[in-house]
Amino acid sequence: MSDGTGSDLGLGTTDALAAAPVSGGAIRRARRGKDRGGRGWGRGSVAKLRQLGIGTSWPAKVSWVFLIAIVLVALVGPLLISADPVRQTSSAMLPFGSPGHLLGTDDLGRDELARLVHGARPLLFVAFASTALAAVIGTGVGLLAGYAGGVVEQVLMRVVDLALAFPSILLVILLVAAAGPGTTSLVVGVGVSLAPGLARLARALAARETARDYIVAARLGGTRTPRVLVQEILPNIAGPMVAQVVMTLSVAAGFAAGLSYLGLGIQPPTPDWGYMVQAGQEFLYSAPRLVVLPATLTLLFVVACNFVGDDLRDALDPKGTV
């Protein structure tokens, strides 16, 4: 019997494993150390990240810096901006550099800088929350399908294929429209629509790992299925999955901004980059900054997520699984 990696598990090997149970975790750690040149996943540090090759190219470095900066702005920016992003004043349509309004004001006299800073948090929250939901659902379904095989795999993957048959954006619109506009429905809609893609990848990776020696040893040693999935298989597919999840984050951000633009996402008066583009398009020629600024920030965030995802894929998945 072949495990798919070029090594044969003959009857003698299987008998030996059964007679002398071997720790699946030990085999897994040994195999990972061999495959990745001894670079383990424990004790994450800057030196470890450098050894993995994360952030070596200049696009990746710029993307990492921008992504971290946007997250920091979303977290602490509202605490540093004194202007109220929803307060309407008579100072409408002030240009760049106006006293007390560095980026001017919109048609309702609201400070544009404050709205951009406060608008980062809703978009990032929806993007991260929906991506986390998609990762949990997709990874769970894919792990179970790839490990169990047979009827379980067929049933689960047919459901996944059915979901993938619909265009993702159409599925998101249908789910959000059915539940009603709002943050919760947006998170659930985007998360559910992105889960099938992650499920297919997780299923393929889990099926590959299930045929490995260390899984055979864990099964023969009597390890329960949940422990095999969580402690044996999941750590070995974490690299490709993390890279794909980060790239999925860019899709989630695009969906969140697009649905807010259509009026199905974050509802006014809460500032949101997607809704700001929709509200400012009326003044595209007279005050293009009302559209260009939030649209550019959204675009840069999406592009940065893609570059960071590519960087993580090259570092965590050097064999090109993703």
Side-chain angles (χ1 to χ4, degrees):
M1 178 177 65
S2 176
D3 66 350
T5 62
S7 61
D8 293 326
L9 292 176
L11 181 59
T13 304
T14 304
D15 292 341
L17 288 172
V22 182
S23 169
I27 293 179
R28 169 167 50 85
R29 289 190 293 271
R31 185 182 67 82
R32 288 163 59 195
K34 179 179 180 181
D35 289 348
R36 296 172 182 160
R39 296 178 296 190
W41 291 95
R43 297 182 180 179
S45 62
V46 175
K48 190 76 69 176
L49 294 178
R50 290 176 178 174
Q51 289 179 1
L52 288 171
I54 293 178
T56 55
S57 63
W58 70 264
K61 292 178 181 178
V62 173
S63 298
W64 276 106
V65 171
F66 180 80
L67 199 59
I68 294 173
I70 288 294
V71 172
L72 290 177
V73 167
L75 293 177
V76 303
L79 303 177
L80 305 177
I81 299 295
S82 59
D84 189 345
V86 299
R87 180 174 178 269
Q88 301 179 18
T89 67
S90 59
S91 304
M93 304 301 287
L94 293 179
F96 282 116
S98 299
H101 303 284
L102 182 62
L103 298 181
T105 59
D106 64 4
D107 59 310
L108 298 178
R110 296 173 295 190
D111 186 80
E112 188 69 8
L113 177 60
R115 290 182 62 78
L116 287 173
V117 171
H118 284 263
R121 182 176 293 181
L123 177 67
L124 264 64
F125 172 77
V126 172
F128 279 100
S130 58
T131 301
L133 178 62
V136 171
I137 297 175
T139 304
V141 171
L143 270 176
L144 183 59
Y147 179 78
V151 177
V152 174
E153 180 182 16
Q154 291 298 320
V155 172
L156 291 177
M157 296 315 296
R158 293 301 74 79
V159 175
V160 170
D161 291 340
L162 181 62
L164 289 173
F166 291 89
S168 297
I169 185 62
L170 178 59
L171 183 59
V172 173
I173 292 176
L174 289 175
L175 292 173
V176 174
T183 303
T184 302
S185 60
L186 188 59
V187 169
V188 174
V190 174
V192 171
S193 66
L194 295 178
L198 295 175
R200 291 194 67 177
L201 176 61
R203 198 275 312 169
L205 295 172
R208 182 195 66 183
E209 294 298 318
T210 299
R212 303 283 192 180
D213 294 2
Y214 72 98
I215 296 298
V216 176
R219 282 176 161 177
L220 292 174
T223 305
R224 294 180 178 274
T225 296
R227 185 173 181 180
V228 172
L229 293 175
V230 176
Q231 295 187 5
E232 304 294 341
I233 297 180
L234 184 59
N236 280 289
I237 69 173
M241 289 303 301
V242 167
Q244 191 63 28
V245 166
V246 173
M247 299 183 75
T248 302
L249 179 64
S250 66
V251 182
F255 282 172
L259 290 173
S260 294
Y261 176 85
L262 295 175
L264 295 174
I266 308 300
Q267 297 298 295
T270 303
D272 174 78
W273 291 349
Y275 176 75
M276 290 173 66
V277 173
Q278 189 273 337
Q281 66 182 2
E282 180 181 353
F283 312 97
L284 181 59
Y285 296 103
S286 60
R289 57 186 171 80
L290 298 180
V291 173
V292 172
L293 290 176
T296 301
L297 287 174
T298 303
L299 175 63
L300 291 177
F301 179 76
V302 170
V303 172
C305 288
N306 279 308
F307 274 114
V308 169
D310 286 337
D311 188 44
L312 288 173
R313 179 191 60 192
D314 295 338
L316 306 180
D317 186 38
K319 295 183 179 180
T321 303
V322 178

